[in-house]
Short mmCIF file of all heavy atoms in Angstrom, two decimals:
data_model
loop_
_atom_site.label_atom_id
_atom_site.label_comp_id
_atom_site.label_asym_id
_atom_site.label_seq_id
_atom_site.Cartn_x
_atom_site.Cartn_y
_atom_site.Cartn_z
N GLY Z 30 0.79 -1.22 0.00
CA GLY Z 30 0.00 0.00 0.00
C GLY Z 30 0.82 1.26 0.00
O GLY Z 30 1.26 1.73 -1.07
N PRO Z 31 1.07 1.86 1.17
CA PRO Z 31 1.70 3.18 1.20
C PRO Z 31 3.06 3.21 0.53
O PRO Z 31 3.84 2.26 0.64
CB PRO Z 31 1.83 3.46 2.71
CG PRO Z 31 0.86 2.57 3.38
CD PRO Z 31 0.77 1.35 2.52
N ARG Z 32 3.33 4.30 -0.16
CA ARG Z 32 4.64 4.51 -0.76
C ARG Z 32 5.61 4.94 0.35
O ARG Z 32 5.36 5.92 1.04
CB ARG Z 32 4.57 5.57 -1.85
CG ARG Z 32 3.67 5.19 -3.01
CD ARG Z 32 3.32 6.38 -3.88
NE ARG Z 32 2.54 7.36 -3.13
CZ ARG Z 32 2.12 8.53 -3.61
NH1 ARG Z 32 2.41 8.88 -4.85
NH2 ARG Z 32 1.41 9.36 -2.87
N THR Z 33 6.71 4.21 0.46
CA THR Z 33 7.68 4.45 1.53
C THR Z 33 8.91 5.13 0.95
O THR Z 33 9.54 4.60 0.03
CB THR Z 33 8.08 3.14 2.20
OG1 THR Z 33 6.90 2.50 2.74
CG2 THR Z 33 9.07 3.38 3.32
N VAL Z 34 9.25 6.30 1.49
CA VAL Z 34 10.43 7.03 1.06
C VAL Z 34 11.45 6.99 2.19
O VAL Z 34 11.13 7.24 3.36
CB VAL Z 34 10.09 8.50 0.73
CG1 VAL Z 34 11.36 9.29 0.43
CG2 VAL Z 34 9.16 8.56 -0.47
N ILE Z 35 12.69 6.63 1.83
CA ILE Z 35 13.78 6.55 2.80
C ILE Z 35 14.66 7.78 2.65
O ILE Z 35 15.22 8.03 1.58
CB ILE Z 35 14.60 5.27 2.61
CG1 ILE Z 35 13.69 4.04 2.70
CG2 ILE Z 35 15.72 5.18 3.64
CD1 ILE Z 35 14.38 2.72 2.37
N LEU Z 36 14.76 8.56 3.72
CA LEU Z 36 15.58 9.77 3.74
C LEU Z 36 16.65 9.65 4.82
O LEU Z 36 16.52 8.86 5.76
CB LEU Z 36 14.71 11.00 4.05
CG LEU Z 36 13.63 11.40 3.06
CD1 LEU Z 36 12.83 12.59 3.59
CD2 LEU Z 36 14.24 11.74 1.70
N GLY Z 37 17.68 10.47 4.68
CA GLY Z 37 18.73 10.51 5.69
C GLY Z 37 19.99 11.11 5.11
O GLY Z 37 20.15 11.20 3.89
N PRO Z 38 20.91 11.50 5.98
CA PRO Z 38 22.15 12.11 5.50
C PRO Z 38 23.04 11.10 4.79
O PRO Z 38 22.84 9.88 4.86
CB PRO Z 38 22.81 12.60 6.80
CG PRO Z 38 22.22 11.77 7.87
CD PRO Z 38 20.82 11.47 7.44
N ASN Z 39 24.04 11.63 4.10
CA ASN Z 39 24.98 10.79 3.39
C ASN Z 39 25.67 9.84 4.35
O ASN Z 39 26.11 10.23 5.43
CB ASN Z 39 26.03 11.69 2.71
CG ASN Z 39 26.91 10.91 1.76
OD1 ASN Z 39 26.45 10.00 1.10
ND2 ASN Z 39 28.18 11.29 1.70
N GLY Z 40 25.73 8.54 3.97
CA GLY Z 40 26.40 7.56 4.81
C GLY Z 40 25.55 6.99 5.92
O GLY Z 40 26.04 6.23 6.76
N ALA Z 41 24.26 7.34 5.94
CA ALA Z 41 23.39 6.88 7.03
C ALA Z 41 23.04 5.41 6.91
O ALA Z 41 22.62 4.79 7.89
CB ALA Z 41 22.11 7.72 7.07
N GLY Z 42 23.16 4.83 5.71
CA GLY Z 42 22.83 3.43 5.51
C GLY Z 42 21.59 3.19 4.68
O GLY Z 42 21.08 2.07 4.62
N LYS Z 43 21.09 4.22 3.99
CA LYS Z 43 19.83 4.12 3.25
C LYS Z 43 19.90 3.06 2.15
O LYS Z 43 19.02 2.19 2.05
CB LYS Z 43 19.47 5.49 2.63
CG LYS Z 43 19.40 6.64 3.60
CD LYS Z 43 19.00 7.94 2.93
CE LYS Z 43 19.98 8.43 1.88
NZ LYS Z 43 21.31 8.77 2.45
N SER Z 44 20.90 3.17 1.29
CA SER Z 44 20.99 2.25 0.16
C SER Z 44 21.29 0.83 0.60
O SER Z 44 20.80 -0.14 0.01
CB SER Z 44 22.04 2.73 -0.84
OG SER Z 44 21.61 3.93 -1.48
N VAL Z 45 22.10 0.68 1.64
CA VAL Z 45 22.38 -0.65 2.17
C VAL Z 45 21.10 -1.27 2.72
O VAL Z 45 20.82 -2.46 2.49
CB VAL Z 45 23.47 -0.58 3.26
CG1 VAL Z 45 23.57 -1.91 4.00
CG2 VAL Z 45 24.81 -0.22 2.64
N LEU Z 46 20.31 -0.48 3.41
CA LEU Z 46 19.03 -0.97 3.92
C LEU Z 46 18.15 -1.48 2.78
O LEU Z 46 17.56 -2.57 2.86
CB LEU Z 46 18.31 0.14 4.68
CG LEU Z 46 16.89 -0.17 5.17
CD1 LEU Z 46 16.88 -1.35 6.12
CD2 LEU Z 46 16.28 1.08 5.82
N MET Z 47 18.08 -0.72 1.69
CA MET Z 47 17.25 -1.13 0.57
C MET Z 47 17.79 -2.40 -0.08
O MET Z 47 17.02 -3.30 -0.45
CB MET Z 47 17.15 0.00 -0.46
CG MET Z 47 16.34 -0.38 -1.68
SD MET Z 47 16.06 1.02 -2.77
CE MET Z 47 14.86 1.93 -1.82
N ARG Z 48 19.10 -2.50 -0.23
CA ARG Z 48 19.68 -3.68 -0.86
C ARG Z 48 19.46 -4.93 0.00
O ARG Z 48 19.29 -6.03 -0.53
CB ARG Z 48 21.16 -3.45 -1.12
CG ARG Z 48 21.42 -2.59 -2.36
CD ARG Z 48 22.83 -2.04 -2.40
NE ARG Z 48 23.12 -1.43 -3.69
CZ ARG Z 48 22.66 -0.26 -4.10
NH1 ARG Z 48 21.86 0.44 -3.31
NH2 ARG Z 48 22.98 0.23 -5.29
N ILE Z 49 19.45 -4.77 1.30
CA ILE Z 49 19.15 -5.91 2.18
C ILE Z 49 17.69 -6.31 2.02
O ILE Z 49 17.36 -7.50 1.96
CB ILE Z 49 19.51 -5.57 3.63
CG1 ILE Z 49 21.03 -5.60 3.79
CG2 ILE Z 49 18.84 -6.53 4.61
CD1 ILE Z 49 21.53 -5.19 5.17
N CYS Z 50 16.80 -5.33 1.95
CA CYS Z 50 15.38 -5.63 1.74
C CYS Z 50 15.19 -6.41 0.43
O CYS Z 50 14.43 -7.39 0.38
CB CYS Z 50 14.56 -4.35 1.70
SG CYS Z 50 14.36 -3.51 3.28
N HIS Z 51 15.88 -5.99 -0.61
CA HIS Z 51 15.72 -6.61 -1.93
C HIS Z 51 16.41 -7.97 -2.00
O HIS Z 51 16.06 -8.81 -2.84
CB HIS Z 51 16.29 -5.68 -2.99
CG HIS Z 51 16.15 -6.17 -4.40
ND1 HIS Z 51 14.97 -6.62 -4.93
CD2 HIS Z 51 17.07 -6.29 -5.40
CE1 HIS Z 51 15.15 -6.98 -6.19
NE2 HIS Z 51 16.42 -6.80 -6.49
N GLY Z 52 17.40 -8.18 -1.15
CA GLY Z 52 18.12 -9.45 -1.17
C GLY Z 52 19.46 -9.40 -1.87
O GLY Z 52 20.13 -10.43 -2.02
N LEU Z 53 19.89 -8.22 -2.30
CA LEU Z 53 21.19 -8.10 -2.95
C LEU Z 53 22.33 -8.24 -1.94
O LEU Z 53 23.43 -8.63 -2.30
CB LEU Z 53 21.31 -6.76 -3.67
CG LEU Z 53 20.50 -6.61 -4.95
CD1 LEU Z 53 20.65 -5.19 -5.48
CD2 LEU Z 53 20.94 -7.61 -6.00
N LEU Z 54 22.06 -7.85 -0.70
CA LEU Z 54 23.02 -8.01 0.38
C LEU Z 54 22.38 -8.86 1.47
O LEU Z 54 21.17 -8.76 1.72
CB LEU Z 54 23.41 -6.65 0.98
CG LEU Z 54 24.23 -5.70 0.12
CD1 LEU Z 54 24.40 -4.36 0.84
CD2 LEU Z 54 25.59 -6.30 -0.23
N ALA Z 55 23.20 -9.66 2.12
CA ALA Z 55 22.73 -10.42 3.27
C ALA Z 55 23.15 -9.69 4.54
O ALA Z 55 24.30 -9.22 4.64
CB ALA Z 55 23.32 -11.83 3.26
#
């Protein structure tokens, strides 16, 4: 349902969090 936007400063871990969700990173 809701569109989720991930915000935060540089180096906060945003992209790593997304890659773990997707399964690209364990």
Side-chain angles (χ1 to χ4, degrees):
R32 297 165 296 178
T33 301
V34 174
I35 303 173
L36 296 176
N39 189 37
K43 305 182 297 296
S44 292
V45 169
L46 174 60
M47 178 173 287
R48 281 164 170 75
I49 286 176
C50 289
H51 182 51
L53 287 176
L54 292 175

